[in-house]
Every structure is written in structure tokens, then in C-alpha cells.
């Protein structure tokens, strides 16, 4: 075997003379050649297969090849891809083929800078690697998965060498100063304090660069070379700086300057000062700071300080880090600067810190997973896990409001979108969904009445059925429509004082806070739980911005109570949204009159029962036999014509009550419709002749067979999917005279 890596003479460069001869001589790279590692075992057993060594300059790729050359019993050939072509490859292959045929001796071919070969040159080597004529050791500074023939890569193991750590470089330097045969052990070489450490730091993980700098510093610090054995050679800081062409900065990688400088860099980027950020970046790079450390801090900053204001920031920084890993210094300064400037000029948001608020809640109490969010694949039948879960993708906008937090955290908010950049664009959507979710969840949680327009005015269906029906109905669009109708009618100014009765769901309260930030938003809720839930949703506001909330069972209390609950007892607007009203309208109007300031008004949106949905319309859709729809229509008309009570009112009852109490009343009709899923439970409720006033009346006003046929026909209809539910609401605007 030709000793292609034989020990060099004293005229060879120090880096070449100090090349390791055995595995024990290798400094660093323990992750691939440490005790018990695959590559070390293969080298020691002389059972090496084709490998590609990938890493930055000066990390020991060629040195590792030298160790293999000194260890193996195989013939060793070496080519440099910059100088060698297809002709050289063929000559090596011919020699290898002869050795194997004549002497059964293997050949290891070391190709330095293998990525420099073009595709044709790499293809020329491929068949001989494939049939085992040569065992390839390729060395490259470029990512082999991008720069080396894929077929060649697939037939080789890839070993990535990493830049040497500080301790490894320092040991390499000290070895060169101790070694009497290959280094400077025959002389007493003394470095000024900090000079050797400066060379190590600036070398940036490159052992060759370090040894070249030491060689230059030592051999230029004495008038004649070589001096007599035992001569003292002093290396000053100036000589060290000149040898590596970089001035030593006041920078301690393990001390205050290290932490202070990275702190200044991060704070400059966070403060959106690109000039200062570049300065501190340049200082760190110039002082030999590890670029991986700088990129690590920038990746953290991209999520912590830029966050959703620019969600692409973290991708940009990671891409720049990967680019740096591929190209290294000096060109790596460009992706470093790119990442720095991108972050410094990006909009800022630290809303990702909301995670730690959630973590605090977890540490305080480990709440149970709500039943509808549990895994239905295991315990659905025995424990009902997953019941009530609504699949968001089943809806037009791939979203449906439902409670995802544990019950004990109902109303708790962690994430508050900022106004910056991309986050400012999603802010409205996030808050709107949260408000709609709150409106549905809170009204279900704190209401004893049936949602929607009732036909029975009896005990409502509760629990999952009511929840599921509401979610399936496209209620979100209706809620937003109701909110806009009331606020467009009231036209409040930024300074107005707003009172919102029946505010359990918070729907009107959120909009009032937005539209009247310089006024007052006051709300009336039915229970303390509802109050606490609403306060949870607005916990992020300052105390002076928060609404004032009182608990009462009255729709509109008198002035004395409001004076006790709120910071004022006069309001510019009273906004009421109610699917059903069962109160003394005259008393409501009288109390409203006493609570309103001069030129104030009441805006009320409600649904008169007599303008509600008719079940006969559902039968008419399917052309029911025997005129069942007409018979049901006649019975419904008779029922609504005769029904009496506070909960069965007409629109004229509203206008007359307010006009008698000194208001100028104006009424508008609002056509309402939505798709609903009607359940079997609804049918049972409507046609219950004992508990339902509607069912009792209808059964007495038609033949029994028709009553049963209508019930059966409706059951068949609801099995076909959602029904179009149609009714009318009225919007009353009453101005105080």
C-alpha cells in the first residue's frame, strides 16, 4: 500500500505535520468515532464500507481518512476532485481491479472535495462502488444530499463532522506546542495572557485555521528560524492578532461580555432597531461567537417577540440557519445578516407568552377533559365519551362554536391577538369567533328557556339536545345579524352609556365595549356564575375599561337599584335582545323611561310567538297526503288566535305600552330563517297532549287519526336532514320624548 498520508517533514505546514495517525489522536468528533461508535468499530475491524464524510473545513475529514489509511490492510488511493477527471478515475479503477483479481486485496479510494465532480464524473465511479471494486471515502464541505449523486449517496453511509468545540481546539493547540517531533515541543513557547485563547476563539471550530495561525505566530516571533533547542519564544497579543488577521475584542464567551452583548443584540432586534442589531451582531461574529448560538437566539426571538405578527419569521430564520450550515463563513455572513434584519424590521407581538398563563392554570388545577372532547373510539358505549362533539368540517366555514375548555375554566382567555402585522388581520376573526362561542356557550349554560322560537311554551328540552340543535343551526350568522340590527338602530356614539339587560350571553356587551370605549357599558345578568364568566372573557381589559355587571332576575329594575349597582343611573341607550318575552310591557316601558337620559332610546329585538314558525310549512314541503298540512295550518291558526298570557303577545302590545309611557315608538319587521336539525325529542315535546299547550290544543281540534298522521309525517321529515326554520322578529326603537 502506498503511504499517501506518511508523516511530513519539518518543511511541511504545521497542520499537515500534526495530522492524527491513530484513532486515539483524533480530537473531537466523539459522536462518530467515540468508543463503541459504528465508524470506530468498522475502522478498527478493517471492515469499512463506502462512506461520505461531511462537514465544514478544518473539522478532520482528511485526517480521519489518514487514520483509516494507517489502519487498514487494504490498498489506499487518493484523488482530489478539483484536479482529477474521468481519466484518473479509470486509472484508479484499473489498479484496484488488478489488485482484487491478482491478490484478492481491496482498495479504498479517498476522494477529497467529492462534490466538485460533475454528474458524469460521479457516474463513472458508481458501477465500481456498486460491485465492490473500490470502497469510497468521500469528503465534502457541502450537503451530500444536495451536491452528491443520489445513487452514490444511497450506497454510502453519511457521517457528519461538526466544528470543534473550544476545548477540543485548545487541546489541539497545546498538543502542537508539546509535540517535539511534529510541533514546537523543542522550544519554550509562551503566549501572552489571552493570546492563545484569542486564536482558539477566532478559529471558529476550524483546527487547520488554528494550527496555521499558531505556526505563523511562532515562526515570525523569532528573528531566525529554527532557533536553538530550548529557546524561549514569546507570542504577544499583537502577534496573535496579526497571525489570524482579527483584532481581539473585549469579549468573554463565558462571562459578562458574552451575556451582555447577546442581551444588547436581542433587545435591539426586539426594539426594531436594525442598525443597532447589525452592530451587536457584527461584534459577536468578530469576537468568534458560535453562529449556532446566535441563530438559536434569533429562532427563539422569532416566536417570542415577533410571533403571529409575522408567522413567517421563524421559517425565514430557520432557512437562514440552514443556509449558513451549508455555506459557512465568510459567505455565511449574508444569511446571518438576512435573519437579523428580517427580525429587526418585522412587526412585533409577544402573544405567544399566553402559553405560560395557560401553564399557570394547569399547575393550579388539573381539570378534567369535558365529556364531548374525550376519545369516543374506546369508551363511547360504556361512558358516553365523545357525545355532543360537533365536527367543525361539517360546516360551511369549517367552524362551529362549542366549549373546548374544562367547565371550571369557562370564560377564561389566554390568547389576546395584537394589532401588529398578520396578527392584526386575524384579530377580528379570532375575537368574533370567541364572542360567538361565548354567546352560545354562556346562553346555554345560564338559561332555563328553550332556544329559538318556541311552539309549546312548556318545560324546555335541556342538555345535549338543545346544545346540539343550536350548534347545527347556523346560529352564528343569526347572532351577528341580531347584534347588527340593534346597534344600527341605536346608532350609539363613542361616549354613550349603554345598558344591556338579558346579557348572559355577552353578545351585545362585546360590541358595546368596542363602539363606546369612552362611555359606559353596563349589563344585567341572571346569576353570579354568568357575571363571573363574562368577567373572565374581558379579564385582559384595564379596570376602567371593563363593563359594570349586576345580577338580577328583573328585565329592567328601577332607578334606585341601578344607582346602587352602577356608577350612574341614567343611560343613553338601552339594548334588549330576547327570543321570547314574558313580562309586563307597561312596567318595562315605565322603568326604561326613568333610566333614560334626555334624548335616550330603547332598542328591543324580540320574536312574537304568533309570528313564529308553523309546522304546517314543513309538511307542505313534502306534499303531505290527505291535506295534512292544510289541516295542521288551520289548527295552528286557531291556536295562536285563542292563546293568551304574558308569554303570548303581539307586536302591537309593545308599541302601545311604550307610547303610553311617553315614548315615540317605531316598529320594523325582520325576516329570519336558518337551517335546523329537529330531534325526536322536539317532536315528543310538541305532540305531548299533557305537558304541551300546543299539543293539547291541536289534538282536541282534529281527528285522532290526523293528529297521529301529522306526528308520523313530521318524524319522517326530520330524518331527511335539516329543515328551513322561518319566523319573524320585530325591532322596536322607542325614543324618549
Amino acid at each position: 500500500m502506498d503511504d499517501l498520508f506518511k508523516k511530513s517533514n519539518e518543511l511541511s505546514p504545521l497542520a499537515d505535520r500534526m495530522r492524527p495517525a491513530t484513532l486515539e489522536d483524533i480530537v473531537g468528533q466523539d459522536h462518530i468515532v467515540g468508543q463503541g461508535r459504528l465508524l470506530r468499530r468498522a475502522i478498527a475491524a478493517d471492515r469499512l464500507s463506502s462512506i461520505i464524510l461531511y462537514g465544514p473545513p478544518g473539522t478532520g475529514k482528511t485526517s480521519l481518512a489518514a487514520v483509516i489509511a494507517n489502519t487498514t490492510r487494504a490498498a489506499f488511493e487518493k484523488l482530489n476532485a478539483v484536479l482529477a477527471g474521468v481519466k484518473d478515475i479509470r486509472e484508479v479503477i484499473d489498479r484496484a481491479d488488478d489488485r482484487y483479481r491478482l491478490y484478492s486485496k481491496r482498495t479504498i479510494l479517498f476522494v477529497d472535495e467529492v462534490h466538485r465532480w460533475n454528474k458524469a464524473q460521479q457516474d463513472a465511479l458508481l458501477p465500481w462502488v456498486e460491485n465492490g471494486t473500490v470502497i469510497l471515502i468521500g469528503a465534502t464541505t457541502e450537503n451530500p444530499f444536495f451536491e452528491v449523486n443520489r445513487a452514490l449517496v444511497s450506497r454510502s453511509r453519511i457521517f457528519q463532522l461538526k466544528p470543534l468545540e473550544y476545548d477540543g481546539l485548545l487541546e489541539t493547540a497545546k498538543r502542537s506546542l508539546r509535540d517535539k517531533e511534529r510541533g514546537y515541543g523543542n522550544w519554550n513557547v509562551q503566549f501572552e495572557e489571552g493570546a492563545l485563547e484569542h486564536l482558539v476563539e477566532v478559529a471558529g471550530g476550524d483546527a487547520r485555521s488554528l494550527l496555521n495561525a499558531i505556526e505563523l505566530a511562532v515562526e515570525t516571533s523569532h528573528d531566525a528560524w529554527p532557533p536553538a533547542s530550548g529557546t524561549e519564544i514569546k507570542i504577544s497579543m499583537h502577534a496573535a492578532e496579526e497571525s489570524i488577521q482579527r483584532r481581539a475584542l473585549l469579549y468573554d464567551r463565558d462571562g459578562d461580555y458574552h451575556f451582555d452583548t447577546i442581551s444588547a443584540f436581542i433587545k435591539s432586534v426586539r426594539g426594531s432597531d436594525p442598525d443597532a442589531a447589525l452592530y451587536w451582531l457584527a461584534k459577536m461574529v468578530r469576537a468568534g461567537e458560535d453562529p449556532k448560538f446566535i441563530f438559536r437566539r434569533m429562532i427563539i426571538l422569532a416566536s417570542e417577540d415577533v410571533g403571529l405578527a409575522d408567522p413567517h419569521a421563524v421559517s425565514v430564520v430557520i432557512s437562514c440557519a440552514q443556509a449558513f450550515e451549508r455555506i459557512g463563513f465568510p459567505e455565511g455572513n449574508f444569511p446571518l445578516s438576512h435573519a437579523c434584519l428580517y427580525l429587526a424590521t418585522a412587526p412585533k407581538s409577544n402573544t405567544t407568552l399566553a402559553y405560560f398563563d395557560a401553564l399557570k392554570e394547569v399547575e393550579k388545577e388539573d381539570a378534567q377533559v369535558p365529556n364531548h372532547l374525550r376519545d369516543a373510539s374506546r369508551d363511547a358505549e360504556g361512558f358516553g365519551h365523545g357525545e355532543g362533539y360537533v365536527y367543525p368540517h361539517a360546516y360551511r366555514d369549517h367552524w362551529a362554536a362549542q366549549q373546548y375548555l374544562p367547565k371550571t375554566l369557562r370564560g377564561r382567555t389566554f390568547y389576546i391577538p395584537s394589532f401588529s402585522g398578520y396578527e392584526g388581520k386575524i384579530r377580528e376573526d379570532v375575537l368574533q369567533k370567541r364572542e360567538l362561542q361565548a354567546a352560545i356557550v354562556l346562553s346555554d349554560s345560564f338559561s332555563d328557556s328553550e332556544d329559538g322560537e318556541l311552539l309549546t311554551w312548556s318545560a324546555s328540552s335541556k342538555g345535549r339536545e338543545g346544545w346540539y340543535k343550536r350548534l347545527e343551526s347556523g346560529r352564528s350568522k343569526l347572532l351577528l345579524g341580531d347584534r347588527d340590527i340593534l346597534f344600527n338602530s341605536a346608532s350609539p356614539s363613542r361616549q354613550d352609556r349603554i345598558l344591556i339587560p338579558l346579557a348572559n350571553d355577552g353578545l351585545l356587551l362585546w360590541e358595546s365595549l368596542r363602539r363606546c370605549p369612552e362611555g359606559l357599558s353596563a349589563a344585567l345578568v341572571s346569576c353570579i356564575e354568568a357575571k363571573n364568566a363574562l368577567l373572565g372573557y374581558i379579564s385582559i381589559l384595564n379596570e376602567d375599561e371593563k363593563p359594570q355587571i349586576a345580577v338580577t332576575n328583573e328585565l329592567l329594575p328601577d332607578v334606585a337599584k341601578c344607582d346602587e349597582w352602577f356608577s350612574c343611573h341614567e343611560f343613553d341607550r338601552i339594548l334588549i335582545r330576547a327570543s321570547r318575552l314574558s313580562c309586563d310591557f307597561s312596567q318595562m316601558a315605565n322603568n326604561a323611561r326613568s333610566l333614560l337620559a334626555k334624548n335616550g332610546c330603547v332598542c328591543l329585538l324580540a320574536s312574537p310567538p304568533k309570528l313564529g314558525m308553523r309546522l304546517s310549512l314543513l309538511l307542505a314541503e313534502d306534499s303531505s297526503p290527505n291535506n295534512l298540512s292544510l289541516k295542521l295550518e288551520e289548527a295552528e291558526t286557531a291556536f295562536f288566535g285563542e292563546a293568551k298570557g304574558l308569554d303570548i303577545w303581539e307586536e302591537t302590545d309593545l308599541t302601545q305600552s311604550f307610547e303610553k309611557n311617553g315614548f315615540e315608538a317605531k316598529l320594523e319587521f325582520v325576516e329570519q330563517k336558518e337551517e335546523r336539525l329537529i330531534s325526536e325529542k322536539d317532536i315528543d315535546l310538541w305532540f305531548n297532549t299533557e305537558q304541551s299547550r300546543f299539543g293539547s290544543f291541536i289534538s282536541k281540534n282534529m281527528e285522532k287519526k290526523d293528529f297521529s298522521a301529522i306526528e308520523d309525517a313530521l318524524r319522517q321529515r326530520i330524518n331527511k336532514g335539516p329543515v328551513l326554520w322561518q319566523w319573524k322578529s320585530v325591532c322596536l326603537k322607542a325614543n324618549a320624548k
Side-chain angles (χ1 to χ4, degrees):
M1 177 186 71
D2 296 330
D3 189 359
L4 300 176
F5 293 96
K6 62 184 178 180
K7 292 183 180 179
S8 305
N9 60 42
E10 60 182 12
L11 297 179
S12 299
L14 177 64
D16 189 49
R17 301 199 305 270
M18 292 301 300
R19 200 179 296 282
T22 66
L23 285 170
E24 285 67 29
D25 292 339
I26 295 177
V27 176
Q29 312 306 337
D30 188 65
H31 63 291
I32 60 172
V33 292
Q35 290 294 334
R37 304 291 185 184
L38 172 65
L39 184 57
R40 187 186 187 97
R41 298 199 312 270
I43 294 172
D46 199 13
R47 302 281 297 176
L48 197 68
S49 59
S50 291
I51 62 173
I52 294 178
L53 303 175
Y54 159 49
T59 53
K61 299 183 294 298
T62 305
S63 295
L64 189 53
V67 169
I68 295 171
N70 292 333
T71 305
T72 184
R73 293 185 296 275
F76 204 97
E77 299 268 4
K78 179 181 178 182
L79 291 177
N80 189 304
V82 177
L83 304 174
V86 173
K87 179 176 178 292
D88 301 291
I89 297 174
R90 288 174 178 167
E91 291 176 355
V92 169
I93 295 302
D94 288 342
R95 291 196 295 271
D97 190 42
D98 288 343
R99 290 190 195 101
Y100 190 76
R101 284 187 301 100
L102 299 175
Y103 310 109
S104 298
K105 191 172 186 178
R106 299 179 305 143
T107 299
I108 295 177
L109 171 61
F110 174 65
V111 181
D112 202 8
E113 304 291 334
V114 67
H115 64 276
R116 298 283 189 176
W117 271 344
N118 59 34
K119 187 176 184 301
Q121 291 169 315
Q122 293 184 34
D123 285 344
L125 185 61
L126 183 61
W128 311 108
V129 173
E130 176 77 30
N131 64 21
T133 300
V134 295
I135 296 169
L136 172 68
I137 300 178
T140 175
T141 56
E142 303 295 328
N143 190 328
F145 294 103
F146 292 100
E147 303 296 338
V148 178
N149 188 318
R150 185 177 300 177
L152 209 55
V153 168
S154 69
R155 290 161 176 80
S156 308
R157 285 187 178 273
I158 308 296
F159 291 96
Q160 183 176 6
L161 284 76
K162 299 178 180 179
L164 270 65
E165 300 290 340
Y166 180 88
D167 291 342
L169 285 175
L170 187 61
E171 174 60 25
T172 299
K174 289 180 178 179
R175 282 188 184 184
S176 70
L177 299 176
R178 292 194 303 262
D179 194 302
K180 293 185 177 183
E181 292 185 10
R182 299 176 296 167
Y184 300 116
N186 291 317
W187 301 278
N188 183 15
V189 179
Q190 299 292 327
F191 280 81
E192 181 182 332
E193 183 178 355
L196 180 60
E197 288 76 11
H198 172 62
L199 293 178
V200 171
E201 288 176 355
V202 175
D206 186 335
R208 183 186 296 110
S209 174
L210 172 63
L211 292 173
N212 288 342
I214 290 174
E215 181 178 25
L216 185 60
V218 171
E219 297 190 11
T220 58
S221 294
H222 196 275
D223 294 336
W225 192 263
S229 178
T231 301
E232 182 178 75
I233 302 174
K234 293 184 177 181
I235 312 297
S236 67
M237 178 63 76
H238 176 72
E241 291 174 342
E242 289 293 316
S243 298
I244 205 160
Q245 289 297 295
R246 187 173 296 179
R247 186 172 60 88
L249 298 179
L250 191 58
Y251 191 90
D252 181 356
R253 293 183 60 181
D254 297 317
D256 290 342
Y257 279 99
H258 162 75
F259 293 107
D260 289 346
T261 307
I262 190 64
S263 175
F265 172 69
I266 293 299
K267 289 173 180 175
S268 299
V269 175
R270 182 185 295 138
S272 299
D273 187 333
D275 301 307
L278 283 175
Y279 171 79
W280 296 116
L281 173 66
K283 182 170 184 178
M284 287 188 292
V285 173
R286 185 71 169 76
E289 184 62 85
D290 185 354
K292 289 183 179 179
F293 170 74
I294 301 174
F295 273 118
R296 175 179 172 272
R297 294 302 301 268
M298 285 197 287
I299 291 171
I300 295 169
L301 186 144
S303 289
E304 179 183 354
D305 295 296
V306 176
L308 287 183
D310 184 349
H312 299 297
V314 67
S315 299
V316 169
V317 178
I318 289 174
S319 295
C320 288
Q322 292 173 340
F324 181 90
E325 186 176 333
R326 290 188 63 185
I327 62 179
F329 281 126
E331 292 86 351
N333 284 308
F334 292 112
L336 261 173
S337 176
H338 181 163
C340 168
L341 290 174
Y342 190 96
L343 293 177
T345 57
K348 303 299 189 293
S349 170
N350 67 343
T351 54
T352 53
L353 292 175
Y355 164 78
F356 297 99
D357 293 331
L359 187 60
K360 289 178 183 177
E361 290 292 343
V362 172
E363 291 171 348
K364 285 195 297 185
E365 179 180 2
D366 187 11
Q368 293 293 318
V369 176
N371 192 67
H372 67 286
L373 298 183
R374 295 188 180 187
D375 182 9
S377 64
R378 297 183 299 123
D379 299 319
E381 184 174 347
F383 298 99
H385 289 180
E387 280 193 30
Y389 171 67
V390 176
Y391 187 57
H393 295 298
Y395 298 90
R396 185 176 296 107
D397 295 325
H398 300 271
W399 179 82
Q402 63 184 317
Q403 178 75 10
Y404 291 101
L405 280 171
K407 187 176 181 180
T408 55
L409 295 178
R410 181 176 51 205
R412 184 72 166 88
T413 55
F414 301 110
Y415 171 58
I416 308 300
S418 72
F419 292 94
S420 299
Y422 169 80
E423 198 165 31
K425 297 176 183 177
I426 67 170
R427 177 183 171 87
E428 183 177 350
D429 181 62
V430 171
L431 295 183
Q432 183 182 91
K433 286 179 177 176
R434 181 176 291 162
E435 292 168 9
L436 288 171
Q437 180 168 299
I440 291 175
V441 170
L442 296 182
S443 62
D444 276 334
S445 300
F446 305 123
S447 175
D448 290 328
S449 62
E450 173 81 359
D451 62 292
E453 284 50 63
L454 304 180
L455 290 171
T456 59
W457 300 283
S458 59
S460 63
S461 60
K462 298 180 181 179
R464 187 172 63 88
E465 291 295 331
W467 169 275
Y468 186 67
K469 178 173 61 180
R470 183 186 287 275
L471 289 175
E472 290 283 353
S473 67
R475 174 65 63 174
S476 299
K477 184 177 180 181
L478 282 173
L479 291 174
L480 292 176
D482 288 353
R483 182 197 68 183
D484 292 344
I485 288 170
L486 280 170
F487 275 92
N488 291 339
S489 177
S491 299
S493 67
R494 294 175 60 85
Q495 299 81 20
D496 276 352
R497 297 160 296 179
I498 309 294
L499 177 63
I500 305 172
L502 304 177
N504 281 11
D505 61 9
L507 180 70
L508 302 182
L509 184 58
W510 317 131
E511 189 69 6
S512 176
L513 290 169
R514 266 195 296 271
R515 295 208 186 194
C516 308
E518 297 157 20
L520 170 69
S521 296
L524 300 172
V525 297
S526 64
C527 59
I528 189 64
E529 291 82 7
K531 177 181 178 178
N532 292 337
L534 290 177
L535 290 175
Y537 277 100
I538 46 86
S539 59
I540 51 126
L541 298 178
N542 297 325
E543 285 301 320
D544 57 343
E545 297 175 322
K546 291 181 179 179
Q548 297 176 14
I549 304 175
V551 179
T552 179
N553 288 321
E554 298 179 76
L555 177 64
L556 271 181
D558 57 31
V559 172
K561 291 181 179 177
C562 285
D563 193 32
E564 178 184 346
W565 294 334
F566 306 125
S567 59
C568 70
H569 61 267
E570 282 191 343
F571 298 92
D572 301 296
R573 302 286 188 272
I574 298 176
L575 305 182
I576 304 173
R577 173 184 166 273
S579 60
R580 59 177 296 196
L581 284 173
S582 56
C583 64
D584 185 335
F585 289 171
S586 181
Q587 183 65 46
M588 176 179 65
N590 182 59
N591 287 357
R593 184 71 181 85
S594 64
L595 290 170
L596 282 173
K598 185 180 180 180
N599 299 322
C601 72
V602 176
C603 292
L604 183 148
L605 182 68
S607 302
K610 294 188 178 183
L611 299 180
M613 176 68 180
R614 296 291 192 268
L615 293 182
S616 54
L617 292 178
L618 300 181
L619 295 182
E621 290 178 6
D622 289 353
S623 302
S624 59
N626 303 321
N627 294 320
L628 289 179
S629 62
L630 293 177
K631 292 178 182 180
L632 181 56
E633 182 181 3
E634 291 175 2
E636 286 178 313
T637 302
F639 169 74
F640 285 110
E642 298 180 19
K644 302 293 182 183
L646 287 177
D647 52 359
I648 302 179
W649 52 274
E650 299 182 29
E651 61 276 8
T652 53
D653 297 330
L654 272 179
T655 55
Q656 291 173 6
S657 297
F658 276 88
E659 287 171 350
K660 288 178 181 179
N661 283 276
F663 285 89
E664 180 183 335
K666 180 182 178 182
L667 195 73
E668 293 183 358
F669 290 92
V670 180
E671 297 284 346
Q672 305 268 40
K673 62 180 179 179
E674 64 174 329
E675 284 192 336
R676 286 192 180 183
L677 281 179
I678 307 300
S679 68
E680 292 282 348
K681 192 171 183 179
D682 291 319
I683 302 293
D684 293 339
L685 186 62
W686 294 337
F687 289 89
N688 189 313
T689 58
E690 295 181 1
Q691 297 181 9
S692 168
R693 291 168 60 186
F694 175 80
S696 177
F697 181 92
I698 298 297
S699 67
K700 294 176 182 178
N701 285 270
M702 65 172 53
E703 294 183 13
K704 185 175 182 180
K705 64 175 184 177
D706 290 334
F707 182 80
S708 298
I710 289 172
E711 182 178 356
D712 291 341
L714 284 173
R715 291 188 188 277
Q716 293 177 18
R717 171 61 188 87
I718 67 172
N719 290 331
K720 296 179 180 179
V723 302
L724 182 62
W725 202 260
Q726 304 176 76
W727 72 100
K728 287 184 180 180
S729 296
V730 293
C731 181
L732 171 76
K733 182 174 184 181
N735 294 297
K737 294 182 181 179

